[in-house]
Amino acid sequence: MAASTLTEVARLAGVSPATASRVLNGSARKPGQDIADRVRQAADSLGYIPNAQAQGLAKSSSGLIGLIVHDIADPYFAAIARGVQEAAREQRKMVLLATTGGAPAEEREAVAAFAARRADSIVIAGSRSSQPENQEGNAELAAELDRYCRNGGRVAVVGHPVVGATAPEGYHVVAVPNQELAAALAGKLASGQDGDFVIIGGPDGLFTSDDRIRGFQEGLAAAGRKPAEVLRTAFNRAGGYEAGLKLADMIKARQAESRQADSGEEAGRGKLCIFAVNDVMAIGAAAALREQGLRIPRDATIAGFDDIETLRDFRPALSTVRLPLEEIGRLATRATAPGGASAREPGENGSGSTEAGPDGGRQQPITGEVTLRRSTETAA
């Protein structure tokens, strides 16, 4: 059966199509109550379904929020998405989701698609990149976001600003103090670890990874320890697994040297301590070590970053930096609401920073917490 039209509703109610539209599409200009009741009764009897685009035009709001993430299967992004969804429900809005694999060109296409659907706001979660292969994509994404903001759209980006974006209004960054928190983690680990450190990081030029690597190295230096060796790999579980295979060979070689030297060191001293710049990389590395016959924390210790929900079932319990991922999603979404506060780069104390929004409101700073668990215990 063909859908009923607005014209048919208007004819049955004895009003003009414009009047029927004002009643059913939420216009601020409303006719008298008796006319409105007659139009709604006609719509009900015909089974009329209002057109969402027409409602958006009448209300100057589509009721849609666009969410762009690298990979919704990654628990980090899934947690942020839950926060976005919760805040969207508070605003009585629906969330449209796009996954891009982290490619700026794919993100630009998602922004353009959301803009074409008149999304009221867009939230982008995922590390920015200055890699040469992303230079053109970054420029196109920045231009698309600037155009969207100039036309009244509002954008919130988690972590770092989009490279090259210049829109002066409607553009917000929810900063995460990755560098400061990684430094705090390094300080805690250095106080209880006697062995060398190694970092499993993402590709050079990936901002989130680079911040965490830089912070961890600063934390080691502050503790009087030598810099950690850095293994660069993919910023995901597969990358962590690949690095774990290389580390397994390193650990076995160190163990063989120790046996040959008959050092007599007590158990747990001199073990390699691994820092993976996110939890899924730590999980991948631990899996590779386990497949090579090595155990955490007997043969090496390991820590991650983010405290994703998956860790509840991971053994041994993984040391990490806990981030309020769902709250980050909520804050980003609320920042894009009319009158919402904006965020800027984190302050020196590592707890994040706030700045006044367009209406003078304030946004709560992002904070994190170093959480040491079984995976970095030395008495194993």
Side-chain angles (χ1 to χ4, degrees):
M1 181 181 295
S4 299
T5 67
L6 185 64
T7 300
E8 291 172 335
V9 173
R11 185 182 301 117
L12 181 60
V15 299
S16 69
T19 297
S21 176
R22 284 195 289 270
V23 173
L24 298 175
N25 291 325
S27 172
R29 296 176 55 201
K30 296 184 182 297
Q33 187 63 45
D34 58 332
I35 295 177
D37 290 342
R38 200 162 70 238
V39 170
R40 294 192 185 97
Q41 184 177 2
D44 290 342
S45 65
L46 293 173
Y48 173 75
I49 300 175
N51 183 292
Q53 291 182 324
Q55 288 185 328
L57 289 170
K59 298 177 182 177
S60 298
S61 170
S62 65
L64 299 175
I65 296 175
L67 172 60
I68 300 172
V69 300
H70 288 186
D71 181 7
I72 195 61
D74 186 324
Y76 172 89
F77 294 112
I80 290 176
R82 282 198 298 271
V84 170
Q85 181 67 55
E86 181 179 325
R89 282 196 295 267
E90 294 173 356
Q91 301 174 25
R92 298 184 179 276
K93 295 183 178 181
M94 297 294 294
V95 178
L96 302 177
L97 174 67
T99 59
T100 64
E106 297 291 332
E107 292 177 321
R108 185 207 66 79
E109 290 185 6
V111 170
F114 291 153
R117 288 160 177 78
R118 297 175 54 84
D120 298 329
S121 59
I122 297 174
V123 176
I124 304 177
S127 182
R128 302 295 95 208
S129 170
S130 62
Q131 295 171 293
E133 61 267 30
N134 289 327
Q135 182 175 356
E136 182 177 354
N138 281 334
E140 292 176 349
L141 173 61
E144 194 70 49
L145 283 170
D146 288 349
R147 181 162 49 249
Y148 174 72
C149 288
R150 285 196 304 270
N151 283 282
R154 298 171 66 85
V155 175
V157 182
V158 175
H160 296 85
V162 171
V163 178
T166 59
E169 296 181 0
Y171 184 78
H172 311 270
V173 178
V174 179
V176 179
N178 288 301
Q179 186 169 329
E180 294 84 349
L181 290 170
L185 174 63
K188 289 285 187 69
L189 293 176
S191 66
Q193 306 283 329
D194 296 316
D196 294 333
F197 289 84
V198 62
I199 300 172
I200 303 176
D204 189 22
L206 196 65
F207 291 175
T208 297
S209 173
D210 289 349
D211 283 352
R212 293 176 181 181
I213 292 171
R214 188 181 307 111
F216 197 83
Q217 298 283 37
E218 290 173 353
L220 290 180
R225 305 295 290 271
K226 68 179 183 180
E229 179 181 351
V230 180
L231 299 180
R232 296 281 187 173
T233 185
F235 195 59
N236 53 30
R237 186 189 183 280
Y241 181 87
E242 179 183 346
L245 293 177
K246 296 178 182 178
L247 290 173
D249 293 337
M250 181 188 303
I251 293 167
K252 290 178 179 179
R254 289 163 59 98
Q255 290 175 337
E257 292 173 1
S258 178
R259 286 193 296 270
Q260 291 173 359
D262 193 24
S263 63
E265 290 180 325
E266 62 182 271
R269 291 183 61 85
K271 290 185 292 188
L272 193 68
C273 182
I274 304 163
F275 167 53
V277 296
N278 66 41
D279 289 338
V280 294
M281 296 177 78
I283 291 172
L289 296 178
R290 184 168 57 250
E291 289 181 9
Q292 295 300 309
L294 300 172
R295 286 175 50 193
I296 301 292
R298 183 193 66 188
D299 300 302
T301 58
I302 188 168
F305 201 112
D306 294 330
D307 199 28
I308 58 176
E309 188 173 359
T310 307
L311 298 188
R312 308 301 179 268
D313 301 317
F314 183 80
R315 294 293 180 272
L318 184 69
S319 294
T320 187
V321 172
R322 179 182 300 164
L323 289 179
L325 298 175
E326 291 190 28
E327 180 64 11
I328 288 172
R330 286 190 290 268
L331 289 175
T333 307
R334 290 167 183 162
T336 64
S342 59
R344 59 178 177 175
E345 293 300 318
E348 295 181 358
N349 62 5
S351 62
S353 180
T354 62
E355 101 182 354
D359 64 346
R362 306 288 289 185
Q363 178 168 295
Q364 292 298 314
I366 301 301
T367 60
E369 178 185 2
V370 174
T371 304
L372 300 185
R373 299 184 177 122
R374 172 68 174 159
S375 70
T376 53
E377 290 183 2
T378 55

